[in-house]
Amino acid sequence: MVAIPLLAALSACGPVPVEQAEVTCLRDAELAVRPRTNVAVGIGTGFDGDTRGFGSVSVDLSGDYLMGRDPAQVYDRCVQRRSGQPPRRPLADQPGWTG
């Protein structure tokens, strides 16, 4: 009985289609170029009528960026690791790549 859930869990770890890996790995390549930041600031009113400010800051920072790795190599390795196949086209030819 334990074998069935274990097999289901292991099959979820298998390779993904190369097209899906290319889309997913585009983000890894982008993070190898520069950190991604997001800043949100606003003002709201509570139920009691008080006005309050709020804000948040987030930073996505990759080890590839810190190590100065080439984004094209990061992309190629990522696609190979996730799909078991090389990318169909290089990073520079991917739609949405701004480098």
Side-chain angles (χ1 to χ4, degrees), residues 1-75:
M1 292 299 262
V2 175
I4 293 173
L6 181 60
L7 287 175
L10 289 176
S11 68
C13 297
V16 298
V18 69
E19 297 84 8
Q20 182 180 345
E22 288 175 340
V23 171
T24 303
C25 294
L26 191 59
R27 183 175 190 277
D28 287 2
E30 289 170 349
L31 288 174
V33 174
R34 70 185 74 70
R36 179 176 295 169
T37 58
N38 186 23
V39 178
V41 179
I43 298 174
T45 311
F47 289 111
D48 56 4
D50 288 344
T51 301
R52 296 189 179 114
F54 63 90
S56 69
V57 176
S58 67
V59 177
D60 289 337
L61 185 64
S62 79
D64 295 319
Y65 171 76
L66 294 173
M67 298 295 291
R69 293 189 178 117
D70 177 18
Q73 290 178 349
V74 169
Y75 174 79

